[in-house]
Amino acid sequence: MEQETIVYFYPISERQGAAGRTCSAKWYWFQDVSLGTHLLGEIHAAFNVIGCAVPPFYFRHRPWKPQVLSEEMGRVMRRVDGMTDTYLHPQIEAMLTEEFGRRWIPRRNTVQMIVGQLMEQYVPGVVKQCGEAVVLLGEAADTGWQMEMTRELLQPYQSRINRLLIFYEEVAETDIWMELGSHLDDYYYEYGLVPQLESYTETADGLRCGKHKCEGIVLDYCGHPRYPKIMPDSEAVYIDVMSVVNKERMLARKTPKTPYVSPLKYLDTMVKNS
């Protein structure tokens, strides 16, 4: 199988770039726009990661136009060999606007590949200790692929999991047991495990996980925090598939000893280490 290359576009601040006069992609009117790339960290067996720092300005102190930035990112991708995909820092997404940002959404298999790598580092010890897994499903329309990804991510650890709790968003006139029937049957017939389904609780502040205690693997597909109840002394690792930044702040405030991991944090750590 051909190795995949992930290009991570991340911001560089004006203060960071000032010393080398790299706070803009070009300095003179006759120059072409130029974004450089460099290899980040070690090369993984399945993929490697290339970093691409994006300065705050396109020319001198003129902010990027979304179309110009998107076009230059496209030129960066054409310079990279092999199978490629992208990850964007939230600040880069904001610079592109929704119209141009849609082009740069990472493929689901790329997200799964990074999350699987993170789970290899964090999950084995936690599963061995408590044998539990909690899944926070996101948008109801995405339930199918989220359940498929979950089964594949949990498969290496399934023999040690004896409790699987799945939170879901309730939809009027939808029978969740019928909706998830084929996915739930896989756990029962292959591992003798009957997953527990719980709907999110509706509150004035949005959907919440309610009072069920969560520990072990907490696999979160939500676009907004759902506040799972993780006890301070629980053996748990919080895996944020969607890389929503304020979830890390929430976790640090409630249970600071629980590791928070996400594809975005993983890539940012690679940038810092490089």
Side-chain angles (χ1 to χ4, degrees):
M1 180 184 295
E2 187 177 9
Q3 188 180 55
E4 182 168 332
T5 297
I6 299 170
V7 181
Y8 178 45
F9 292 93
Y10 63 92
I12 181 171
S13 69
E14 186 173 3
R15 185 181 63 182
Q16 290 170 318
R21 208 163 69 170
T22 56
C23 58
S24 62
K26 66 176 184 176
W27 197 253
Y28 299 104
W29 65 268
F30 54 81
Q31 289 178 320
D32 293 328
V33 180
S34 178
L35 294 179
T37 58
H38 60 284
L39 187 66
L40 294 178
E42 297 180 356
I43 299 176
H44 185 266
F47 64 92
N48 60 32
V49 181
I50 289 176
C52 182
V54 179
F57 305 112
Y58 154 66
F59 172 55
R60 302 254 173 139
H61 290 283
R62 297 178 186 174
W64 286 93
K65 294 180 179 179
Q67 182 175 352
V68 173
L69 177 55
S70 182
E71 289 173 355
E72 178 55 26
M73 288 167 60
R75 283 190 280 271
V76 170
M77 297 299 292
R78 289 191 289 274
R79 295 201 305 264
V80 176
D81 296 329
M83 296 175 58
T84 59
D85 201 2
T86 60
Y87 244 96
L88 306 187
H89 188 279
Q91 289 182 32
I92 305 301
E93 289 184 34
M95 292 163 68
L96 285 170
T97 70
E98 184 178 356
E99 178 186 356
F100 293 97
R102 284 193 295 266
R103 175 185 175 187
W104 303 105
I105 297 173
R107 295 187 294 269
R108 289 171 189 165
N109 67 315
T110 300
V111 177
Q112 181 175 329
M113 189 166 53
I114 298 180
V115 173
Q117 167 72 1
L118 291 170
M119 291 179 69
E120 287 180 19
Q121 298 176 36
Y122 289 93
V123 163
V126 170
V127 172
K128 187 176 181 180
Q129 287 289 329
C130 70
E132 297 193 12
V134 178
V135 180
L136 312 183
L137 295 178
E139 294 288 338
D142 297 330
T143 296
W145 71 259
Q146 291 171 4
M147 289 295 291
E148 290 174 9
M149 185 182 293
T150 297
R151 179 165 49 82
E152 292 177 16
L153 289 171
L154 294 183
Q155 194 276 329
Y157 317 100
Q158 197 66 63
S159 61
R160 290 187 174 273
I161 295 175
N162 50 46
R163 179 178 181 249
L164 177 58
L165 173 60
I166 301 174
F167 287 95
Y168 67 94
E169 185 176 332
E170 205 163 21
V171 178
E173 300 180 5
T174 298
D175 185 337
I176 193 63
W177 289 97
M178 291 290 292
E179 187 82 9
L180 302 183
S182 60
H183 300 287
L184 301 178
D185 287 346
D186 290 340
Y187 291 104
Y188 179 74
Y189 289 114
E190 292 185 34
Y191 305 103
L193 181 65
V194 179
Q196 178 183 351
L197 296 181
E198 294 292 339
S199 63
Y200 292 114
T201 302
E202 188 82 48
T203 72
D205 298 319
L207 299 177
R208 299 290 182 94
C209 284
K211 298 181 179 180
H212 292 273
K213 293 181 181 179
C214 302
E215 59 181 343
I217 310 166
V218 181
L219 198 58
D220 186 355
Y221 292 95
C222 301
H224 303 280
R226 295 287 189 251
Y227 299 92
K229 188 175 182 180
I230 303 173
M231 305 306 290
D233 57 348
S234 297
E235 285 286 341
V237 56
Y238 192 101
I239 303 170
D240 181 12
V241 178
M242 307 305 288
S243 298
V244 179
V245 177
N246 59 347
K247 291 180 189 176
E248 183 175 13
R249 293 194 290 267
M250 171 204 75
L251 197 69
R253 187 175 68 251
K254 290 180 172 293
T255 52
K257 293 183 179 179
T258 301
Y260 169 91
V261 295
S262 73
L264 180 63
K265 185 172 182 179
Y266 172 73
L267 295 170
D268 277 339
T269 300
M270 295 184 75
V271 170
K272 292 174 184 175
N273 290 343
S274 68

